Structures are given as C-alpha cells and as structure tokens.
Amino acid sequence: MACCLCAKYLLLFFNLIIWLTGGVFLSCGILVLYKRDLHELFALLSYDSHLVPSFLNVGYVLIGVGALVFIVGLLGCCGSVRESRLLLGLYVFFIILVMGGELVVAMYTVLLGDEWDTRLPNTLKRRLSTYNYSIPQRFEFDLDTVHKQFACCGIDGPTDFHANADYKIFGNRLPSSCCNHLLNGVCNEADSHRLGCFQIINEYVQLYSRLIVGVGIGIALLELIALIMAVCVCRNKADEDEFY
C-alpha cells in the first residue's frame, strides 16, 4: 500500500513537470511564429531544400507537440489524483504516442545531418551566384537581413560573391549588407565582414541543439518513469477493485 501511495505521488510530481514542459513548448512555438528576426533566417535555410523545414512548420510542430504534452501531463495529473483506470489508460496510450513521436524526430535529425553539413551550404552558394544587385527579390532581402543580424557575408565568406555576375558588373563590389560602414556608398571586400554566415549560424544552431537534446533526454526519462508509475497505479487499482 505504501509503495502504491509513493508511486501515485511520484506520478503526480513527474506529470506536473511534463505539464509545465508542454506549456514551455507551446510558448516556444508561438515565439517562433511571431519573432520577426528569426523569419529571415529560417526562410534562408529553407531555400531549395527539401529536408530543412520551413519557418512556419517549425512553429506549428512546436505548438502541436506542446499541446499534446500539455494534455498528456494533465491526464497524468488527473489520473493519479483520482486513481482512475480510464484516465491512466489514456495517459499510457498518449505517453507511448509522444515517445514514438520523439523517436521519429530523433531519426529525422540524424537524416538532416548530411543535408545540413554538405547539401545545404552548396545549395545556398549556388543560389548566391544568382544574387540580383539591381532587382532584389525575397532571397536577397532574407540574405541581407542575415548579413546584418549575424555580421557575416556570403555562405562561407565574401569570396562566394566572386561567382556572381553582378559582382563583376558592379566593379567587384559586395552587397551593402556585407559592410558596417560604406566607403562612398560602396562595400568593398577589404571592408566587409570576414566570416561566412553558415559558420556563424552553425555555431548558433549547435549551441541550441545541445540544449534541446539535453532537455529532450530529460523529458524522455521523465516520461519513461511516469509510464512505469502509471502502470503500477493501474495494477494496484485493479487489484483493489477485485479485492472489494
């Protein structure tokens, strides 16, 4: 009996954490959708790439996962307090569903590794060769914003623009977004940002990826322990019902 009571309160405690985590995911999803300075970065990374998700998809996935985790945590809390076999049964089903989704995301991340390291920068450099100095389109605006936001130039560096036709037509000058200070309204390579945008963005993404992986592993362990606790409470409740 004491063991069951301990499992019940542990289940309640773990699900309070899971419930709060769902709220955090929801908040992050909403932040991603409405934080304007991230729009251009995700839009740039999504150009001509089938594996890198669009900006809106990232936000919607975070909101969907957050809502599901939020509901799962709520089911676990209610089920543990009321010791309801129905609620705990639904909880076990959804927690397995969430863990399966986390496994899919992990596999997708592994698949994305090759795309991120090789194909994505090569694709962006090919697109950079058509950068239009005279009539900027969405790609040009997004790249200019990333140049200014991260103080970088090009994908691997300012020399990426050497393959651009407009670079030669306009007297070997770079887009103005590659320089903090223009000399007579012109951005020369000697005055431009030296680092490529992909290197800076990669460091930025790696930093947050490690944080997300750590949080994800912690949540998965909590879910596994909570799943075991839920099964214990369900079995104990079934034994009590048979006894009475």
Side-chain angles (χ1 to χ4, degrees):
M1 183 68 181
C3 182
C4 174
L5 193 62
C6 179
K8 173 182 173 180
Y9 286 113
L10 278 175
L11 180 61
L12 178 61
F13 173 72
F14 287 136
N15 278 286
L16 281 172
I17 297 175
I18 292 172
W19 182 66
L20 291 173
T21 303
V24 171
F25 275 114
L26 273 171
S27 302
C28 289
I30 294 170
L31 180 67
V32 164
L33 288 180
Y34 290 98
K35 192 169 174 58
R36 298 298 305 175
D37 58 346
L38 291 177
H39 281 218
E40 290 78 9
L41 174 58
F42 274 85
L44 179 67
L45 295 178
S46 300
Y47 274 104
D48 301 325
S49 177
H50 300 295
L51 288 179
V52 178
S54 70
F55 179 81
L56 291 177
N57 287 344
V58 172
Y60 292 140
V61 167
L62 283 173
I63 289 174
V65 169
L68 184 58
V69 172
F70 190 86
I71 293 170
V72 167
L74 189 61
L75 274 175
C77 289
C78 294
S80 60
V81 170
R82 297 176 61 87
E83 295 186 19
S84 168
R85 292 173 63 189
L86 174 62
L87 290 177
L88 288 173
L90 286 172
Y91 172 76
V92 169
F93 170 76
F94 280 115
I95 205 83
I96 292 173
L97 192 65
V98 169
M99 293 178 75
E102 290 169 349
L103 180 61
V104 170
V105 171
M107 293 172 63
Y108 175 83
T109 304
V110 172
L111 180 65
L112 191 61
D114 180 61
E115 167 87 354
W116 180 265
D117 293 331
T118 55
R119 290 173 56 191
L120 179 60
N122 291 334
T123 299
L124 290 174
K125 279 191 279 189
R126 284 197 300 271
R127 187 64 185 265
L128 190 69
S129 66
T130 63
Y131 182 100
N132 195 316
Y133 283 50
S134 304
I135 311 173
Q137 302 296 323
R138 180 62 187 270
F139 175 78
E140 285 76 11
F141 284 122
D142 290 338
L143 184 59
D144 286 343
T145 302
V146 171
H147 281 165
K148 295 172 183 175
Q149 182 180 347
F150 292 95
C152 57
C153 183
I155 307 305
D156 290 331
T159 55
D160 290 339
F161 283 95
H162 291 183
N164 184 281
D166 282 358
Y167 174 80
K168 300 178 177 66
I169 293 172
F170 284 85
N172 295 346
R173 69 179 177 87
L174 297 169
S176 59
S177 58
C178 280
C179 293
N180 284 331
H181 305 288
L182 302 178
L183 182 62
N184 298 323
V186 175
C187 177
N188 295 309
E189 190 170 329
D191 303 318
S192 68
H193 304 304
R194 307 312 303 165
L195 292 177
C197 293
F198 189 77
Q199 178 184 343
I200 295 176
I201 292 170
N202 192 46
E203 292 173 357
Y204 182 81
V205 169
Q206 291 296 329
L207 174 65
Y208 284 96
S209 294
R210 285 192 289 269
L211 178 63
I212 291 170
V213 168
V215 171
I217 291 173
I219 292 172
L221 288 174
L222 280 177
E223 289 169 346
L224 182 60
I225 296 171
L227 181 63
I228 295 170
M229 295 296 103
V231 172
C232 289
V233 173
C234 271
R235 290 190 62 181
N236 182 76
K237 184 63 177 175
D239 291 341
E240 285 183 358
D241 291 344
E242 288 178 5
F243 179 77
Y244 291 109

